[in-house]
Amino acid sequence: MAAGDSFYIATPIFYVNDVPHIGHAYTEVAADVLARWHRQSGVDTWSLTGTDEHGQKILRTAVANGVTPKEWTDKLVAESWVPLLKTIDIANDDFIRTTEERHERVVQQFLQKLYDDDFIYFGEYEGYYCVGCEEYKQADDLVDGAGEFEGQRVCAIHGRPVEVLHEANYFFRLSAFQDRLLALYKEQPDFVQPDSLRNELTSFVSRGLDDISISRQSLDWGVRVPWDEKHVFYVWFDALLNYISAIGWGTDDANFSRRWPAVQLVGKDIARFHAVIWPAMLMAAGLQPPARVFGHGWLLVGGEKMSKSKLTGIAPHQITDVFGSDAFRYYFMSAINFGQDGSFSWEDLSARYQAELANGFGNLASRVVAMIGRYCEGVVPAEGALTDAESRIHQVTTDAVAAAQRAIETFAIHDAIAAVWTIVDELNGYLTEQEPWKVAKDEAQVERLHTILYTAAEGLRALAVLLSPVIPQSTQKLWTALGADTALGALLEQSIPNAANWGQLPAGTQTQPLDALFPRIEQE
């Protein structure tokens, strides 16, 4: 079991039948913000992402493109999925592919153990199968089709007809874990979050669980079942094991103990796999369930979940090419209540970029650094006597750090950013009220001018620390402008818990000119 000062966060591994859209990037950024926050808080942190590359949908897509499944996945991973991480500035520690030998070996070893311990048996099954979900569906998971699928029953998520499959497969005794799962949900109320999702899954499990098929005979693109090589493992049982194969289960006990259990960040549509099937698999193997499963909402475009088939998918680079990666990260983490569905629009993105990033934070940073350059020859001045105005800045900063930390603990990233943004608003109001450009005209008020500018600069120092997990490129530029590359500036630390400790920016530090962090964008 991981130590209390360890934080292991994993995104779902993404299915590579097509290129990524902003829904995938949304999950990646959220996990990255949480990982960066914990790293800057001194926590032993590990961040995992990757790709899910087996299954029927991959096979069909590859055949349709005239290549083998491995050629298709290699191409998509190299040209689209790994570059995505650079596009949105993800600082992951590991990237795992389910076609890697280190993963396939663990899949076979883990499921062989479950078979040996009689948690897996052979049987027959007939049911509705959605290729898009790679999942068997119950009747109440289907809806009436519309348009070209009118008169048919379709998957409620993908809107496409399901297939009726009859197969003789291996089954996992999921039904044996109903009581243990319900006890887990009750004894650890934050195991599944948000609360609405926990209630939904508790109701689902309470109605009774069926044993589920874990193998397929009808395709050969997957990990072979070691005791019966006519079968390959069902793609979800293969994929879920990436969270432990990546950290050394069965091969590196020390690292596994250091990292596990993980925080699992997933879309709400795959929460059943992660909060029902996955912990049951771990229980069967005698392992601890994940630390927490957080199911976030969907990104909606035109009121619908993004879909390549419906032509509503938006590539991340379409946004970053115009606004930059920091604006992408800030917008999706602040504009949407994390855990709920959220709508994307270009108009809202543009408005928030201009009002909050360019005019709010960016202009604040530019003004303060420019005034230190103009009135103090670029050297951070020493502060003099403090007034109630400075005391208020100190208190707002202290309160913001505490509020942001509480929000991060519940994965309320939007609330954490809102808490930090109170410092931005307070500093802008402080400058408007104190008018340092007027104070500078009175030589008798040099000490007062220096106090105002030091307070503003120290406030920027705190913002550079607190906003670094969200907008890392801009805060690094600000950090450099505040003198972090100088001998005095090198003494600065980027610890989030200590961000509110006032007076860390040494007087006498030489600042550097700062270009606009968020330049004005001409709208077509």
Side-chain angles (χ1 to χ4, degrees):
M1 177 179 177
D5 57 353
S6 175
F7 181 76
Y8 169 31
I9 187 165
T11 71
I13 50 173
F14 297 103
Y15 211 53
V16 293
N17 64 307
D18 210 333
V19 297
H21 56 58
I22 60 174
H24 303 111
Y26 176 60
T27 309
E28 290 280 12
V29 170
D32 188 61
V33 168
L34 293 168
R36 287 175 183 264
W37 186 282
H38 282 81
R39 285 193 198 102
Q40 281 188 236
S41 299
V43 177
D44 181 17
T45 299
W46 194 257
S47 174
L48 174 70
T49 190
T51 47
D52 182 2
E53 303 178 20
H54 291 131
Q56 189 166 333
K57 186 161 54 172
I58 297 287
L59 177 62
R60 290 183 179 181
T61 303
V63 170
N65 283 274
V67 295
T68 67
K70 189 63 165 63
E71 289 172 334
W72 177 255
T73 56
D74 285 348
K75 175 181 173 66
L76 263 290
V77 170
E79 296 181 1
S80 298
W81 289 91
V82 170
L84 168 68
L85 305 180
K86 183 177 181 180
T87 297
I88 53 177
D89 211 358
I90 303 300
N92 57 299
D93 295 293
D94 194 6
F95 186 97
I96 190 163
R97 301 176 59 184
T98 56
T99 51
E100 291 180 63
E101 191 273 339
R102 63 166 172 161
H103 173 72
E104 293 187 347
R105 181 179 64 249
V106 167
V107 172
Q108 292 186 319
Q109 182 180 348
F110 184 95
L111 291 169
Q112 180 72 58
K113 173 176 173 53
L114 266 57
Y115 179 73
D116 292 343
D117 292 342
D118 199 33
F119 288 109
I120 292 174
Y121 64 93
F122 191 75
E124 294 189 4
Y125 185 79
E126 180 175 280
Y128 302 109
Y129 192 80
C130 173
V131 175
C133 292
E134 291 282 12
E135 176 187 10
Y136 279 104
K137 298 289 185 178
Q138 300 299 318
D140 56 4
D141 293 324
L142 308 179
V143 298
D144 292 330
E148 63 178 306
F149 304 126
E150 186 174 358
Q152 302 181 62
R153 298 288 282 172
V154 302
C155 170
I157 295 174
H158 289 91
R160 290 183 170 273
V162 293
E163 301 175 8
V164 178
L165 298 183
H166 182 100
E167 293 185 331
N169 296 329
Y170 288 94
F171 288 76
F172 172 61
R173 299 185 190 276
L174 181 63
S175 59
F177 294 91
Q178 177 179 353
D179 291 342
R180 290 182 65 181
L181 287 168
L182 291 174
L184 173 64
Y185 304 156
K186 182 178 181 180
E187 294 165 7
Q188 188 181 330
D190 64 348
F191 173 71
V192 181
Q193 289 292 305
D195 290 345
S196 57
L197 182 60
R198 184 191 68 232
N199 294 337
E200 175 189 323
L201 292 181
T202 299
S203 176
F204 171 75
V205 174
S206 296
R207 294 195 297 270
L209 296 173
D210 296 325
D211 295 345
I212 54 175
S213 171
I214 68 157
S215 72
R216 304 288 303 277
Q217 288 193 75
S218 56
L219 76 159
D220 60 3
W221 178 238
V223 180
R224 290 287 172 189
V225 173
W227 63 86
D228 187 346
E229 293 201 349
K230 296 189 300 296
H231 292 250
V232 296
F233 286 116
Y234 172 44
V235 62
W236 269 104
F237 274 74
D238 162 9
L240 287 166
L241 287 163
N242 89 90
Y243 305 119
I244 62 173
S245 66
I247 57 171
W249 181 83
T251 60
D252 187 343
D253 292 343
N255 192 57
F256 181 75
S257 297
R258 176 183 178 184
R259 300 296 177 197
W260 191 257
V263 168
Q264 315 259 195
L265 201 61
V266 302
K268 65 180 182 180
D269 52 328
I270 57 173
R272 285 187 188 179
F273 291 102
H274 289 82
V276 179
I277 298 173
W278 177 223
M281 291 169 61
L282 292 164
M283 290 172 181
L287 298 176
Q288 184 179 358
R292 186 182 301 182
V293 177
F294 191 97
H296 64 73
W298 291 337
L299 284 187
L300 308 177
V301 176
E304 290 188 336
K305 181 176 183 280
M306 275 181 300
S307 166
K308 288 289 182 183
S309 61
K310 296 180 181 179
L311 302 180
T312 55
I314 299 170
H317 74 82
Q318 291 177 266
I319 296 175
T320 60
D321 287 351
V322 177
F323 295 94
S325 62
D326 275 3
F328 183 103
R329 294 166 63 96
Y330 173 81
Y331 175 76
F332 285 108
M333 293 299 97
S334 64
I336 297 169
N337 286 0
F338 196 61
Q340 301 178 15
D341 292 346
S343 295
F344 167 79
S345 76
W346 289 98
E347 294 79 9
D348 188 44
L349 168 61
S350 180
R352 287 177 178 268
Y353 175 92
Q354 193 60 44
E356 298 168 16
L357 292 175
N359 294 342
F361 176 62
N363 189 47
L364 170 67
S366 296
R367 285 199 295 165
V368 173
V369 173
M371 285 190 289
I372 292 175
R374 182 179 305 119
Y375 304 132
C376 304
E377 298 182 339
V379 176
V380 175
E383 65 181 348
L386 304 182
T387 68
D388 288 346
E390 287 74 52
S391 296
R392 176 166 174 77
I393 296 293
H394 299 178
Q395 189 60 54
V396 167
T397 304
T398 299
D399 293 345
V401 173
Q405 187 63 53
R406 289 194 300 270
I408 288 294
E409 289 171 0
T410 60
F411 294 178
I413 300 173
H414 56 288
D415 286 339
I417 296 174
V420 174
W421 219 255
T422 61
I423 305 174
V424 175
D425 294 339
E426 194 66 31
L427 285 173
N428 275 317
Y430 173 75
L431 292 178
T432 299
E433 178 185 89
Q434 299 301 316
E435 298 181 312
W437 48 90
K438 290 185 179 180
V439 176
K441 296 177 181 179
D442 185 352
E443 293 184 0
Q445 295 197 71
V446 170
E447 180 181 324
R448 182 62 193 154
L449 174 65
H450 287 178
T451 299
I452 295 170
L453 294 181
Y454 183 84
T455 298
E458 179 67 351
L460 286 181
R461 189 270 316 158
L463 286 171
V465 174
L466 295 168
L467 290 175
S468 180
V470 183
I471 48 175
Q473 292 190 15
S474 300
T475 52
Q476 182 56 50
K477 292 175 183 176
L478 176 57
W479 197 250
T480 299
L482 290 174
D485 292 340
T486 67
L488 281 175
L491 300 175
L492 292 171
E493 62 170 327
Q494 298 193 38
S495 166
I496 285 176
N498 297 331
N501 294 349
W502 205 258
Q504 294 185 49
L505 185 60
T509 301
Q510 180 66 51
T511 64
Q512 304 296 324
L514 179 65
D515 293 333
L517 295 178
F518 297 95
R520 183 177 297 277
I521 294 174
E522 297 298 328
Q523 299 296 315
E524 295 184 4

